């Protein structure tokens, strides 16, 4: 989020870095930055989120890396687009758009059509990739769904979960 997006929100008081994600555990007790929030969620009840087998664990890590990479590319694209027009580098924008397109293509290829990305239970892979796809919608809106219809269907189902709806950044709406 840029500072203008934070106007009227509690985010700056919850995260001194002034950005999302922020997870409020209790008033005045917040976690911020994706790795910390994900680590907390993974250990919330003393039992890590699935999968717990080695193969499933590394598959979930791969999805997380892909989702985080998508978010990084979207952020780099946004920052470049916010520079003065005469200072923008079109080749950088194209490079980031290419990263996003390749990541979406790989995600579509990796997705097996199941309810969840890894195994038969909701996992950190679902959280991170769901957030990444929502972030594209928020910060780089374009019709990625037409090129990746099965991934789009998965995204619509996963982001319909109460946890996704309740944690949507202020002022943004879910895209289906």
């Amino acid at each position: 989020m840029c500072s203008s997006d934070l106007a009227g929100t509690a985010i700056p008081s919850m995260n001194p870095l002034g950005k999302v994600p922020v997870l409020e555990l209790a008033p005045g007790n917040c976690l911020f930055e994706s790795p910390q929030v994900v680590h907390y969620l993974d250990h919330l009840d003393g039992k890590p989120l699935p999968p717990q087998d080695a193969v499933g664990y590394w598959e979930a890590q791969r999805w997380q890396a892909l989702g985080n990479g998508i978010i990084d590319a979207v952020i780099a694209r946004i920052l470049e687009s916010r520079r003065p027009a005469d200072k923008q580098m079109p080749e950088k924008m194209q490079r980031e758009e290419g990263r996003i397109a390749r990541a979406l293509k790989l995600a579509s290829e990796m997705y097996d059509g199941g309810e969840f990305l890894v195994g038969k239970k909701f996992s950190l892979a679902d959280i991170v990739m769901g957030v990444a796809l929502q972030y594209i919608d928020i910060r780089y809106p374009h019709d990625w769904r037409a090129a990746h219809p099965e991934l789009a269907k998965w995204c619509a189902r996963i982001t319909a979960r109460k946890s996704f709806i309740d944690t949507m950044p202020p002022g943004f709406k879910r895209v289906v």
Side-chain angles (χ1 to χ4, degrees), residues 48 53 56 67 99 126 131 136 166:
D53 63 289
R99 289 174 59 195
D126 300 299
V131 168
I136 291 172
D166 289 351

Side-chain angles (χ1 to χ4, degrees), residues 44-112:
L44 188 59
D45 63 359
K47 298 180 249 173
L49 287 170
Q52 296 174 14
D53 63 289
V55 171
Y57 172 83
W58 288 110
E59 189 177 343
Q61 291 297 306
R62 183 176 185 202
W63 279 106
Q64 286 183 68
L66 189 60
N68 285 332
I70 288 171
I71 293 168
D72 290 345
V74 171
I75 290 169
R77 185 190 174 283
I78 292 166
L79 292 176
E80 188 60 31
S81 73
R82 291 183 177 165
R83 293 169 42 127
D86 64 328
K87 305 268 192 243
Q88 289 180 13
M89 296 185 298
E91 64 277 5
K92 178 158 179 60
M93 299 262 287
Q94 290 172 349
R95 185 173 52 246
E96 300 309 331
E97 289 168 6
R99 289 174 59 195
I100 296 163
R102 288 189 306 274
L104 287 169
K105 182 178 184 290
L106 178 59
S108 284
E109 292 167 357
M110 288 171 39
Y111 177 56
D112 66 6

Side-chain angles (χ1 to χ4, degrees), residues 23-61:
L23 178 63
E24 185 176 32
L25 303 176
N29 184 10
C30 299
L31 299 176
F32 45 88
E33 293 299 315
S34 295
Q36 187 179 39
V37 171
V38 166
H39 190 71
Y40 175 82
L41 294 174
D42 194 30
H43 293 88
L44 188 59
D45 63 359
K47 298 180 249 173
L49 287 170
Q52 296 174 14
D53 63 289
V55 171
Y57 172 83
W58 288 110
E59 189 177 343
Q61 291 297 306

Side-chain angles (χ1 to χ4, degrees), residues 95-175:
R95 185 173 52 246
E96 300 309 331
E97 289 168 6
R99 289 174 59 195
I100 296 163
R102 288 189 306 274
L104 287 169
K105 182 178 184 290
L106 178 59
S108 284
E109 292 167 357
M110 288 171 39
Y111 177 56
D112 66 6
E115 182 178 357
F116 303 109
L117 295 176
V118 180
K120 297 188 184 314
K121 293 185 178 180
F122 185 72
S123 73
L124 290 175
D126 300 299
I127 294 171
V128 175
M129 187 53 74
V131 168
L133 296 176
Q134 281 187 319
Y135 198 68
I136 291 172
D137 291 334
I138 292 169
R139 294 293 182 202
Y140 174 45
H142 67 288
D143 191 15
W144 63 267
R145 287 171 175 76
H148 310 286
E150 294 304 311
L151 190 60
K153 288 178 194 172
W154 172 84
C155 181
R157 282 192 310 271
I158 213 75
T159 61
R161 294 173 68 95
K162 184 176 179 344
S163 58
F164 273 86
I165 292 168
D166 289 351
T167 57
M168 180 66 80
F172 294 102
K173 294 186 179 129
R174 184 172 165 258
V175 178

